[in-house]
Amino acid sequence: MRYLDEEAIKDIALGAAVLGTGGGGDPYIGELMAIQAVKQHGPVKMIELEEVSDDALVVPIGMMGAPTVLFEKAPGKEEAKKAFELMETYLGKEIYATMPIEIGGVNSLLPVAIAARLGLPIVNADGMGRAFPELQQVTFYLDGITNSPLVMADERGNTSILQTINNLWSERIARSITVEMGGSATVAQYSVSGKQVKDSGIARSLTFAEGIGKIIRHRKKYKLHPIEEVLEFTGGHALFRGKVVDIDRKTTTGFARGVATIEGIEDDKGKNVNLHFQNEFLLAESDGQPVCITPDLICLLDHESGRPITTEGLRYGLRCVVIGIACDDKWRTEKGIETVGPGYFGYDMDYTPIEKLLEQGGEAR
C-alpha cells in the first residue's frame, strides 16, 4: 500500500498515455482532474491485488465515447459520484475500491479523482493493460464476467442503468446512449469481487505506467534518449521514424476513426507507414504489409521529447517514432484474438505477434 501524490499522478498520466495506444482521452485532462481532487481531499491510497479481500466489491469507472469530444466536454465532478451511488443502491452493497477499466489518458486517472472524493482506495490493476474502444474488450470478458449492471451518467445529471443479456449488447446500447449524452459519458461497470480482480485483472498496471512516465518526465536523469529508455523499460521496439503528412479522421458512432500517414525520416526515408485507428491505434502497415497488429500495442511518441501523441493530438508535421509493445498474454488466447484481433475491427489479416513480424521484416530501428 502507498499513497498517490501529485508527482505520482503526473507520471501515471504520461505513462498511461503511452500504454493507451493513442486512446483513452487527453491525459492532461485526467491529470488535472486527479490533482484537483487530491488537493481538495488528500492523497489516494493505492493497494495491491493481494491486499484486496476475495469478497470485496471493486467497481471500475471510466469515460465512454470519442476522445475528441473531451476537448470541449470534459467530465465534471458529480458524474462518477452519481454513478457509484446508483451502483451501490442497485447492488445493495458498499463499494470497497475502484480501479481503471483501461490504462489510457483520462480513464487511468478518473478513478483516482473519484477515489479521492469518496475516500476509496484504488487497486493497482486494470482490465486491459492498454486501451481498447469497446466495453466488452476487457480481460474480465475473456473469463466470462458480465459488465451488467452498467451505470452511465452525464454532466446534466442524467443517469441510466443497464442490465443486458451479454456484454456485446451492453456495448451497443450504451454506445447509443453515449451519443445522445453528447458524445461522452461516465460509465461504472464490471462490478467484480476481489477474487475476480485477482484472477482476471492486469496486475500492477498503474505502477508500470508510472515507471514509463518517470522516464519521460525526468529524461535528463537518464543516460539514453527517453524513447530508448522507454523501450528498455517496456521491452518494446522502435518500428518507424517519420513525420505526419496526412490525417483522415472523423468522429462517428461514438468513435474517433481514421488513418494517419507518416513519411519516413533518417533510416526510414523513402518509406511510409499508415496508422489505422478507432480511438486507439490498431494497425500499422507499410507498403501493404503489417508492421504491428492489435492486440499488440502501437504507440506514437514525439521524436525529440518522447512524449506520447494521442489520436486526437495528431497534427500535420509532427516528427514521431512508432513503437510496438507486446500485449499481455491474456489477449493472445483464441478468445482474446476473437475479441480484439484484426478481424474484429475489419482488417482482412490474421494476427501475427510483433516478435514474428520483426523476424520476418528484420530488426526494428
Side-chain angles (χ1 to χ4, degrees):
M1 183 272 290
R2 55 172 282 210
Y3 286 88
L4 298 178
D5 57 15
E6 287 189 36
E7 288 300 302
I9 287 169
K10 290 177 181 178
D11 290 334
I12 291 171
L14 203 51
V18 175
L19 296 176
T21 62
D26 188 337
Y28 186 59
I29 295 174
E31 177 185 318
L32 291 178
M33 291 172 55
I35 288 175
Q36 181 185 40
V38 165
K39 284 181 176 179
Q40 291 177 344
H41 305 283
V44 171
K45 182 191 293 185
M46 182 174 68
I47 56 177
E48 302 300 326
L49 286 175
E50 56 269 22
E51 298 178 85
V52 183
S53 63
D54 285 352
D55 61 351
L57 176 60
V58 180
V59 180
I61 195 160
M63 294 297 299
M64 183 177 188
T68 45
V69 175
L70 292 178
F71 279 120
E72 298 182 3
K73 189 168 117 48
K77 296 180 180 180
E78 297 301 316
E79 291 100 297
K81 181 180 178 181
K82 289 182 178 180
F84 269 18
E85 289 173 346
L86 182 54
M87 182 70 78
E88 288 183 328
T89 300
Y90 187 88
L91 295 176
K93 186 174 182 179
E94 186 175 339
I95 296 171
Y96 169 72
T98 188
M99 62 181 283
I101 193 62
E102 66 180 358
I103 288 295
V106 169
N107 281 340
S108 300
L109 293 168
L110 180 62
V112 176
I114 189 62
R117 293 190 184 111
L118 299 184
L120 298 174
I122 187 168
V123 182
N124 185 12
D126 82 299
M128 299 183 197
R130 50 159 297 160
F132 280 118
E134 298 186 9
L135 298 182
Q136 78 282 4
Q137 292 168 335
V138 300
T139 51
F140 301 122
Y141 172 75
L142 302 184
D143 290 331
I145 298 172
T146 180
N147 67 348
S148 292
L150 181 149
V151 178
M152 306 178 68
D154 71 7
E155 74 281 3
R156 300 175 186 86
N158 296 312
T159 57
S160 177
I161 188 163
L162 303 180
Q163 185 75 51
T164 60
I165 58 174
N166 59 44
N167 297 7
L168 292 168
W169 271 103
S170 290
E171 163 63 29
R172 292 177 63 179
I173 297 172
R175 189 68 55 179
S176 297
I177 294 173
T178 298
V179 171
E180 293 300 320
M181 284 183 166
S184 68
T186 298
V187 179
Q189 58 174 328
Y190 289 101
S191 301
V192 289
S193 68
K195 184 177 188 310
Q196 287 173 316
V197 177
K198 294 172 190 176
D199 292 342
S200 300
I202 306 293
R204 294 178 292 279
S205 52
L206 282 170
T207 46
F208 187 51
E210 183 183 16
I212 297 171
K214 279 183 179 178
I215 291 170
I216 298 172
R217 284 189 66 225
H218 308 288
R219 55 186 179 275
K220 292 182 180 179
K221 295 182 180 180
Y222 294 88
K223 296 179 181 178
L224 300 176
H225 188 280
I227 292 179
E228 301 304 319
E229 293 282 359
V230 168
L231 294 175
E232 184 175 322
F233 183 80
T234 62
H237 309 273
L239 303 174
F240 194 80
R241 300 175 189 273
K243 64 178 180 179
V244 179
V245 295
D246 189 50
I247 308 161
D248 179 10
R249 176 178 51 206
K250 59 183 178 180
T251 300
T252 178
T253 64
F255 297 105
R257 301 174 185 265
V259 181
T261 301
I262 301 174
E263 183 179 83
I265 60 174
E266 300 176 356
D267 291 343
D268 293 310
K269 193 171 184 178
K271 303 176 184 177
N272 284 351
V273 157
N274 290 325
L275 294 182
H276 301 256
F277 57 88
Q278 179 181 320
N279 288 7
E280 288 77 34
F281 296 118
L282 299 172
L283 172 66
E285 60 177 359
S286 179
D287 296 325
Q289 298 301 312
V291 177
C292 192
I293 310 170
T294 179
D296 288 330
L297 285 69
I298 302 167
C299 314
L300 197 62
L301 306 183
D302 181 86
H303 188 270
E304 298 303 323
S305 68
R307 297 181 72 88
I309 300 169
T310 60
T311 54
E312 71 269 24
L314 284 166
R315 298 290 184 273
Y316 177 85
L318 282 176
R319 291 165 61 88
C320 54
V321 180
V322 181
I323 74 169
I325 303 172
C327 64
D328 189 274
D329 287 342
K330 294 177 187 291
W331 293 119
R332 292 185 172 185
T333 61
E334 183 177 349
K335 188 170 182 180
I337 299 303
E338 176 186 317
T339 304
V340 296
Y344 181 84
F345 294 104
Y347 304 120
D348 187 18
M349 63 182 67
D350 294 327
Y351 167 69
T352 304
I354 186 173
E355 308 93 278
K356 291 188 178 180
L357 287 175
L358 288 172
E359 289 175 6
Q360 295 168 6
E363 290 297 318
R365 289 170 292 280

